[in-house]
Amino acid sequence: MIDNFLMIVLRRRFEAIIRDMVNALFKSGRSGVLNTAMDFSCSITDAKFQSISVAIGLPVHTGAIDLIPRVTAELYGDDMAAGDCFANNDGYLGNTHCADFTLCVPVFFGGRIRFYAIARAHFADMGFPTPTTYGADAVDRFMEGLQLPCVRIQKNYGDVREVVDICRANIRAPEQFYGDYKACLAAVRTGEKRLEELCDKYGADLLEEFVDEFQSYAERMTASAIAQLPKGKVEGTYRYETDLPQYPDGIPIHAEIAVDPEAGRIEIDLTRNVDNVPLGINLTESTTLASCRMSALNVLGADIPRCSGAFRRIVVKMREGAVIGKPRKPAATSAATSNLCSAFASHLHALYAQLGAGLGSAYSTVGVPASASVISGQDPRYGDKDYVNQILMGYWGGPATARSDGWLTYGSASTQGAVWQSSVEVSELQHPIIVEKLAIRQDSGGAGQFQGGPGASVTFFAHKAPVRFIFYSGSSRIPPKGVRGGSDAAPTGAWLERHPGERELLPNNGNILLQPGQRLHSDSCGGGGYGDPAQRDRARVDHDVREGWITPDFAARHYGAAR
């Protein structure tokens, strides 16, 4: 039995190791999506695949990251040794989606595996037919990027050259890829070294005992928190807008949540969802589990450790071949972390709001707005050097909750504010673009006792060379909804301005070549409101008008008096 003081020390030591991994990746990542937006996550599991902490990273990345070492061990078993590293971006083998390049290192001590160190990074290019990182319009798996089905990419601490060469040959910016791969490698090798040092100091057997006790503690905490919830079952269907003719009203997203306080258990049933669709938006097992686990823990509170012990009390029922669940080959999953996933995770939060007052949240951003496009081209300032990168700018619109207004830079229910916003100055330095406007979009958050976070208005200007923008947006016809009397948010929109003053409305899924002198305008949606607007604190209304978040007309229409 480990005493409480040592339990706290070891918990913080493991979290410090993960932070060291994060810092190694952040400081050495080559593409802007890593070294500016921090669209990556790191984690550790023990040899029994128990996640020790998934709190430092994106919820959609970390909520089911334990699937990665499970698959690695299943495929390689005893054929693993110190110095190995395995690369996996396969949505059918525990990964999130194709662009999330994931490395897994087995950490040996005393002659056997004690831990796994894992780094997952969203690469701007993984060899898609078009220069994008999502591929939401992929009809099947074969229209997606390069697939690495859990392959050994390092042996005896050296690269397996053939694997690296295949990657470089299939990716538009091979040097950028190799730099980002090395950054991920720095993260897992840092984790490996720090874990070996921890084993040397405390003993591997003691650390294994700690991990088991910590999981039990987290499970007890979770059961206790569930016991405070009202007993009941809620279910509902939300719609994800699409151009598929078989779903003119949108793809239905169905979920049932049953809370059993006496048993300390939450069960989420997804088995009634429709079959896989011919788009890249099908969820993977990883993104389905992560959405369910992290939405439940958001309701249960911040004090519960985000680890496998907590997950044991959250039971997810899904089926193979469903658009939300486990995909069946050859269904495409390249946008499994955004689009439909954002709508699904948001829907879960809203269902908890139905369970009882004070729970859950409204709906949040769906898809990726044009302001967060993958951009590509050749930069004449650097000798026409090729570039491919996702900028994450104006990715806002947090949902209102039972206790607070929406978080401005929340993004979506998949990221929940963990992705940083790209810097205007750095983006202009890295690419031949000018960001003419980046501003809060007035009146875009849903009204309520607590108001949804606003979206953003962003304008890009192509500078000196053509720039391709590819985006997969949503919420233009079905904006994020309010809950418990709250109002819906404003919808998303994007426009191409070829000539001054002439705007052409763009579809949700856009692929445009912005010529020098042309502009791309993006209005991202806000988050839905929570609760009756009549109950909103008048001081908050006055503040929002003064700050320019809402207009006096919006205040008069929704809150009953001009301000």
Side-chain angles (χ1 to χ4, degrees):
M1 187 75 174
I2 301 176
D3 65 75
N4 288 340
F5 181 78
L6 185 56
M7 285 288 292
I8 294 171
V9 168
L10 290 177
R11 176 182 179 179
R12 300 309 179 198
R13 285 296 298 269
F14 276 103
E15 291 174 353
I17 291 171
I18 296 174
R19 290 188 187 280
D20 283 346
M21 296 169 67
V22 167
N23 287 334
L25 206 162
F26 181 50
K27 293 180 179 180
S28 55
R30 186 162 298 182
S31 61
V33 73
L34 301 186
N35 63 32
T36 304
M38 290 192 73
D39 193 350
F40 64 84
S41 305
C42 299
S43 191
I44 296 167
T45 78
D46 68 356
K48 292 184 285 189
F49 319 120
Q50 299 179 114
S51 296
I52 297 167
S53 175
V54 300
I56 308 170
L58 280 64
V60 74
H61 277 179
T62 60
I65 206 166
D66 56 291
L67 296 178
I68 291 296
R70 290 178 191 275
V71 168
T72 305
E74 180 181 337
L75 292 178
Y76 290 90
D78 294 334
D79 187 24
M80 286 191 284
D84 281 349
C85 179
F86 300 89
N88 185 348
N89 74 332
D90 194 329
Y92 287 84
L93 290 175
N95 200 48
T96 44
H97 73 137
C98 180
D100 279 345
F101 183 85
T102 304
L103 295 184
C104 179
V105 161
V107 180
F108 285 80
F109 193 87
R112 63 184 177 91
I113 296 174
R114 303 287 184 159
F115 299 99
Y116 293 91
I118 310 155
R120 171 173 285 157
H122 185 187
F123 280 17
D125 180 22
M126 273 306 296
F128 284 89
T130 54
T132 183
T133 187
Y134 291 114
D137 55 357
V139 172
D140 57 32
R141 176 180 175 86
F142 307 109
M143 291 182 64
E144 298 181 306
L146 178 66
Q147 305 284 342
L148 299 171
C150 194
V151 298
R152 199 186 324 255
I153 199 168
Q154 275 208 329
K155 187 175 181 66
N156 196 26
Y157 297 99
D159 286 349
V160 178
R161 200 186 81 179
E162 295 87 345
V163 175
V164 174
D165 286 349
I166 288 171
C167 293
R168 292 169 68 110
N170 283 275
I171 291 173
R172 291 172 180 81
E175 294 308 314
Q176 176 178 292
F177 158 80
Y178 192 65
D180 287 342
Y181 155 63
K182 285 294 190 181
C184 293
L185 193 61
V188 291
R189 291 303 183 200
T190 295
E192 178 186 36
K193 181 178 180 181
R194 296 289 182 266
L195 287 167
E196 289 171 345
E197 293 170 351
L198 200 64
C199 288
D200 191 55
K201 180 173 182 177
Y202 290 99
D205 292 341
L206 178 68
L207 295 182
E208 289 179 351
E209 181 183 353
F210 158 76
V211 173
D212 287 339
E213 288 193 23
F214 184 60
Q215 305 300 328
S216 296
Y217 164 74
E219 186 174 4
R220 293 193 301 272
M221 287 279 289
T222 306
S224 177
I226 294 173
Q228 306 306 310
L229 296 178
K231 183 175 183 177
K233 177 185 288 187
V234 291
E235 64 176 294
T237 301
Y238 186 55
R239 299 276 173 170
Y240 171 80
E241 64 187 67
T242 176
D243 294 328
L244 288 175
Q246 59 267 48
Y247 297 111
D249 298 324
I251 296 170
I253 301 169
H254 188 81
E256 301 176 16
I257 300 176
V259 177
D260 187 341
E262 291 85 3
R265 170 188 171 106
I266 293 175
E267 182 175 293
I268 303 171
D269 189 341
L270 308 173
T271 55
R272 290 169 57 188
N273 281 290
V274 300
D275 291 343
N276 291 133
V277 296
L279 292 173
I281 62 173
N282 298 286
L283 268 65
T284 57
E285 180 183 12
S286 180
T287 57
T288 300
L289 283 174
S291 298
C292 293
R293 290 169 173 176
M294 303 311 277
S295 63
L297 287 171
N298 285 345
V299 171
L300 297 176
D303 293 337
I304 297 174
R306 269 53 177 167
C307 65
S308 291
F311 299 157
R312 293 172 189 156
R313 293 286 170 165
I314 305 163
V315 180
V316 182
K317 296 173 65 177
M318 67 180 85
R319 67 181 181 88
E320 185 180 3
V323 69
I324 296 172
K326 297 180 182 179
R328 179 179 291 129
K329 291 181 180 179
T333 61
S334 49
T337 60
S338 55
N339 299 65
L340 185 66
C341 181
S342 300
F344 167 58
S346 189
H347 183 46
L348 293 174
H349 286 84
L351 284 177
Y352 285 109
Q354 290 184 26
L355 186 67
L359 301 177
S361 67
Y363 288 81
S364 58
T365 298
V366 172
V368 183
S371 58
S373 294
V374 176
I375 64 174
S376 59
Q378 292 78 40
D379 196 333
R381 301 171 300 171
Y382 306 114
D384 288 331
K385 183 179 179 180
D386 291 331
Y387 64 88
V388 182
N389 187 36
Q390 184 182 16
I391 49 175
L392 286 161
M393 198 171 292
Y395 187 39
W396 297 353
T401 75
R403 298 176 180 81
S404 65
D405 290 347
W407 183 355
L408 177 64
T409 57
Y410 181 85
S412 73
S414 301
T415 57
Q416 296 182 26
V419 171
W420 289 18
Q421 296 293 302
S422 297
S423 160
V424 170
E425 293 78 12
V426 172
S427 295
E428 292 178 341
L429 180 65
Q430 292 177 334
H431 320 105
I433 59 172
I434 300 295
V435 182
E436 288 192 334
K437 179 183 180 182
L438 173 59
I440 287 173
R441 182 187 175 194
Q442 280 189 315
D443 299 345
S444 55
Q449 180 180 3
F450 294 101
Q451 188 169 273
S457 291
V458 183
T459 299
F460 297 106
F461 177 82
H463 182 54
K464 294 187 176 181
V467 182
R468 184 167 298 281
F469 285 75
I470 298 181
F471 56 91
Y472 300 97
S473 187
S475 301
S476 64
R477 301 191 306 274
I478 307 174
K481 295 183 178 299
V483 297
R484 302 193 73 85
S487 299
D488 297 350
T492 296
W495 297 265
L496 172 62
E497 185 177 336
R498 301 181 193 274
H499 306 287
E502 298 179 5
R503 291 192 176 190
E504 171 189 338
L505 181 64
L506 298 172
N508 278 339
N509 296 350
N511 183 342
I512 63 168
L513 186 64
L514 200 65
Q515 298 292 342
Q518 294 181 347
R519 290 170 173 81
L520 173 64
H521 302 277
S522 171
D523 280 349
S524 58
C525 60
Y530 194 111
D532 183 359
Q535 300 300 314
R536 186 163 178 77
D537 185 344
R538 293 294 174 177
R540 288 178 176 266
V541 179
D542 291 340
H543 171 272
D544 292 345
V545 172
R546 286 195 306 271
E547 292 296 314
W549 289 34
I550 63 174
T551 61
D553 179 65
F554 184 95
R557 285 186 289 110
H558 292 280
Y559 300 119
R563 290 322 213 194

